[in-house]
Amino acid sequence: RRAGYAAAVAPIAWWHWVPCIGGRSMRPILERIDHAVNQVLTSDFKVKSLASPSYTIMDFFSDFMSNPGGIFQVGGTDDPAEFPPVKPAGDFRCDIPGKGQRIAIVAHSASGWISRLFLSSLEYQGRSFHGADKIHSLVCLGSPHFVANNLVYKNLEYLESKCGKDLPPNVRCLCVGSKGK
């Protein structure tokens, strides 16, 4: 911002990640990314800070107990292709932007490959985000874009099995400190 570029930070706190740990669905984080992108696009880029979605401690516990996947196979499975469509708790409503304007996402660590889910048109746990309609560039900082042999990466493996490793053709990507196979 100091250099004159419009920028906003998605309001994702560390504890918002807790319902996603251990290979569980990334939908709670995807909803937050979508919420932040929609706020920026409907603000004519005048927003300096984004409003957090309404999310209470009860919403947190609800997500922790119902978000599917992981080592305990919440929802009956640890396979993202079989995740039941459980909508995350909280209020993610905001104005939906019109077509045309697109922005860049800068993502750190797991947010990089999760943003790839957001950009795709793949149905994931009952919702397709179609983020490529809103995003022109993805910058990943230290994002693991490779499938490792552990439960956490089943979501990435699911994405790549359905969409391949490529981003939608209308989205550019730069990875810094990242590695893929």
Side-chain angles (χ1 to χ4, degrees), residues 112 116 138-143 145 167 173-180:
R116 288 174 52 200
L138 172 63
V139 178
C140 299
L141 305 174
S143 298
H145 292 284
L167 290 174
C173 184
L174 170 66
C175 293
V176 179
S178 301
K179 171 179 155 175

Side-chain angles (χ1 to χ4, degrees), residues 16 29-30 44 64 91 100 128 130 151 154 157-158 168 179-180:
H16 293 154
I29 300 302
L30 287 163
D44 292 327
F64 186 76
D91 183 3
S128 298
H130 300 278
L151 193 59
K154 280 195 172 192
E157 187 176 61
Y158 171 69
K179 171 179 155 175

Side-chain angles (χ1 to χ4, degrees), residues 12-40:
I12 302 174
W14 68 267
W15 58 276
H16 293 154
W17 288 89
V18 172
C20 302
I21 60 174
R24 296 172 83 177
S25 170
M26 295 298 136
R27 177 126 181 237
I29 300 302
L30 287 163
E31 293 289 351
R32 283 170 174 76
I33 293 170
D34 189 50
H35 185 263
V37 166
N38 288 340
Q39 280 187 75
V40 169

Side-chain angles (χ1 to χ4, degrees), residues 82-143:
E82 298 173 5
F83 284 168
V86 177
K87 184 176 182 226
D91 183 3
F92 295 96
R93 288 178 293 163
C94 68
D95 293 335
I96 305 299
K99 296 237 181 227
Q101 289 187 315
R102 294 168 65 213
I103 61 173
I105 288 181
V106 178
H108 175 253
S109 193
S111 293
W113 67 261
I114 295 168
S115 292
R116 288 174 52 200
L117 273 168
F118 174 74
L119 293 170
S120 77
S121 58
L122 177 65
E123 184 168 314
Y124 180 79
Q125 200 194 345
R127 179 160 182 219
S128 298
F129 289 89
H130 300 278
D133 295 340
K134 304 172 189 177
I135 306 300
H136 60 71
S137 302
L138 172 63
V139 178
C140 299
L141 305 174
S143 298

Side-chain angles (χ1 to χ4, degrees), residues 62-81:
S62 174
D63 278 351
F64 186 76
M65 298 305 291
S66 65
N67 193 35
I71 58 173
F72 297 116
Q73 298 185 356
V74 177
T77 184
D78 66 356
D79 182 354

